[in-house]
Amino acid sequence: PGSHRPQWRAVSVEALVDIMAHRMGILSRILSIPVVVLALYSHSSPLRPQKVTRTIRSPWLWRGYPRRPALEYDSLSCQASRKKQERLSSAPSRRTYNSLIYACVKAGNVKKGVELLAQMQREKIQPDVVTFTTLMSAPEAKVFFSMMRNLGIAPNAHTLSALLKQHRKQNVSWEMSLRLYKSAKQLDQDQELVNNYVSNALMSTLNANGQWAQTLALYQQDVRDEMDQKSCVHVMRAAFQCRRYGDVIALWEKFRRNNAKKDAEQQEAFTIFILSLLYIRKANQAVEEIENEINSIANNRGKIFKLWLRAIARAGLWKTKGRAALAAMASEGRNLTTNHLNLVLKEISHTTSPENNARDIYSDFRNCGALSQRVGHLLLDQLSRTCDTKFLRQIISRHEIHFDSRTANSLLKSCNNDWKEAMEIFREMATKEIESSPLTYKLIAISFEKAGKLGDFLSAIEDSGLFLSLTLNPDPYKGAIAACGETGRWQDGLEIIENMRGAHLRPDNSDFADLTKAMINSKKYISVLDILRKLDLLEIEGIESQTADELMKASFQEAMPLEVDNRRKAPKLTAGLTTAEVSGRSAANIATNTFLWIKERLLPGEKLGVRSHDFLLQAYLYDKRWGDALRVFDQMIAINLRPTLNSCNKLIYACRRGARVTQALNIVRSMRRMDILVTVDTYNALVSVCGSGRQWELSLALSKELQRGNLPGTPINTRASLVSYNILINALLVSKKWQKALETLHELKANGFKPDNITFSAFEFHAKGIDPKNACSLADRLRNDHGYDLSPRCLRRIVISYADSKEMINHTLSIWNRIPVDLRGPRRIIDLLIITSCGAGEWEKGLDTLLRASSVGAGATRRMLHALGHAKQFDIAAMLFKKLSLGNQADYETLLAASAINGKWQTAIALRDEMHSKGLDMTSGVMASLVRAYGINGRIREGLEIFNEMRMAGITADSRAYTSLITMFSREGLWQEGLGVLGRMVGEGMWPTDSSYSGLQKACERSENQLDALTELDKLRKLHEAKLGSRGPAKERSFYWSY
């Protein structure tokens, strides 16, 4: 009652009652009317139409509802409700129509839903996206989608998800589904809905069409930290089908981290995860994972128990854990079946000792029921390795296994060296009219060979009387040759082939393949070249591709150094030597000759496969013939052969020599075209090549791309490793980008990695190429930020590199002071530092270095004294002279020069007298120093006297003495006397220094007769050049050079 349109309440009651009646039955219809009426009228406020439509669309009403087209009561009741509304003059809304259409489509009556859609349009009610989303669940979804677009209604994520589900049911091309997904990504809507609904539907469609790689690419293009369970299961299934088992394991870790709920999706994901572990030979881990999860899995436990048994058998843990698994199955009332035994027997074939496990498994499965022929044959095949023929016959009789060729072959395998028992089994086969195959004869021949009677095999077969003559049946010959191939008896194989030809039987390609295998497996080493020659003598028709692969493998192994587990052991090859060092033939030559020989003799229709090309490529890389290896790679790409990932990575690493960055990038492009996964090792190789080419920007870009991860064409969760960071740091240091290298080191630690010795050794190795100023900053940052000190050897290498640089001497000395005194290396480094410091005018630091050093060379000491003299620090020079107890000829001359530079003529005279008292020679150097000391003080007369006195004493004046004399005259303006001395030098064949000319020129310019003086100087210069040449002797060009 009231003014809130009570007719809505009446219509809602009738619709709900009709629906509930159809759901609950006729009897429950009467009982449900009061319940629905009370439920609707219990609200204090009037019931809104939205509440009614939500009730009609409620999932609990439709749970278990039968979708049968013939059952139309539901939709008819909804039509009646609509007509009743019309009679009550209340126009239905769009929401009501949407609910009615939903009810019709849910019931499977799409026709009534379409009629309602038409009725909406006639009543001028515009359908919306909800209307068409409801209709997308019908088989005519494509028609409704076109209608929706014609009306200009934009689809949402739910619409496209429903449409993609219909595409999967109707086998619509997956390309169209992919285009729909791309359009959904462009919608201006909640992308989380697009990711959860649309991507799930698209992944399901792609997997249904076998497009596993597209599913993985879709995931890697739109990777999300949090994925719903269905998406993760779809991607795991696709990765498993693509044999990307590492990706399955990474996805499972993500799935388990984000989904704690134990449901069907998790169980399916767990199953795929366990199977992946089995395929990559991690059965022990699979057993541990199952033991951790077995108690928490509630549904479909039988499948989990099968996986558990398989994992235990594959891991070879049957004795320790197999019986515990069987006991757990028995505790839940699960019986053992032959299916369980079949699975376990298949798995133990991958273990090291399947015969022992087979006995234990057979005893545990004895009560599993009658064995089928397939399981029985599998059991016999595994037990045949026990070499217990009697036990196998007991199993055959106990389980009534049919005696056929497979059963007989298992018995023959168990004979070992009992050739008589093998012949009895052979006669039993003939008695039961079982046809013998070449495998049968091969097993009998192996028994003869183990007994040392292989030569008697053919005669024993012929004497058995089971057929008229060997000339009518080539199978015994083929079996004998195959046995020779297994045991490496190639001489016997050659003899058997000759016997075949003598019996007018023609050996086929399989016989020659077995003979080739015998030569390769021979205990006595045969080179590949000899094998090829022997095959040529046999005049074979051709080579099969499988035999070609074995020959290429043998040719590559022949060139390798001798290994302990290498079957092809040459007596002349000792450990550490290669074939090239012994015989002069390299790996590339051997592999090339073998490859060309095979190529000429391939059978028609046969082609050299990936393995043959791969061995040739590796041989070229081993001999560092990078260009030939790249040509083999290009040839493989041209004929659509996929090189192995290992070969591609090795080829990229080979590009480092010569910094072939462009070629390395082209190799990666070819890998992507051939759908070869680009792994972390590939990125590392590429970054290393870019580093060798000093393309550090490209190295950084590749590293950033690797750190983003989940790139198309790469394994899932591909991330930079510690090795990746080490290679990047090395590449940056090669380009002298040490600041970037330190930033990368910080990033390495921020990503949870711990720097190792290789990380810091890169800084150690490349620090010598960094100038001392930056080396100081690098050492400080490494010490302060990472607690690492550069080694004394590294610091010493930096000092040696820049010890003669005057511009960097301050920073070089700073590096030098960081080195412990006892680890500073040879004395020549200290001498060079002191000499460079003096040359740069840094006499204080040079003196400090000299005083700190335990031992200094005489040259460095004299250089220090000379530097102190030039720095007007003669007193310090004199103290140093006494402190170091210097006293030889050169030391006194150096100190004399220092006193002369400082104008201390009295000290110079005293030093001369001291030299004379010690019996040291008076040389021209002493004369020059004394003259210069007097000249600086303006004592020309004393200077001339000392010059003449020493000449009278028999001391020959050289250019140094004459230059000092010219300098003394020039300083006092006596240019005529200076020109006289200069002329005397020319007369004695001496070339004056530049300082002599410059001093005279200044004296001439200051004189009163400037023009005449300069003219005389110029004439004298020209005279010198005419007589002595344009340049004088190199050792006389500088006065102070000798010091």
Side-chain angles (χ1 to χ4, degrees), residues 757-777:
N757 293 332
I758 298 177
T759 309
F760 292 114
S761 64
F763 288 97
E764 294 271 353
F765 181 78
H766 294 286
K768 65 179 182 180
I770 303 175
D771 61 81
K773 180 179 180 181
N774 291 324
C776 291
S777 302

Side-chain angles (χ1 to χ4, degrees), residues 133 205 398 425 491 653 664 867 909 938:
T133 301
T205 303
R398 181 180 301 158
I425 296 170
Q491 297 95 336
Y653 269 115
I909 293 297

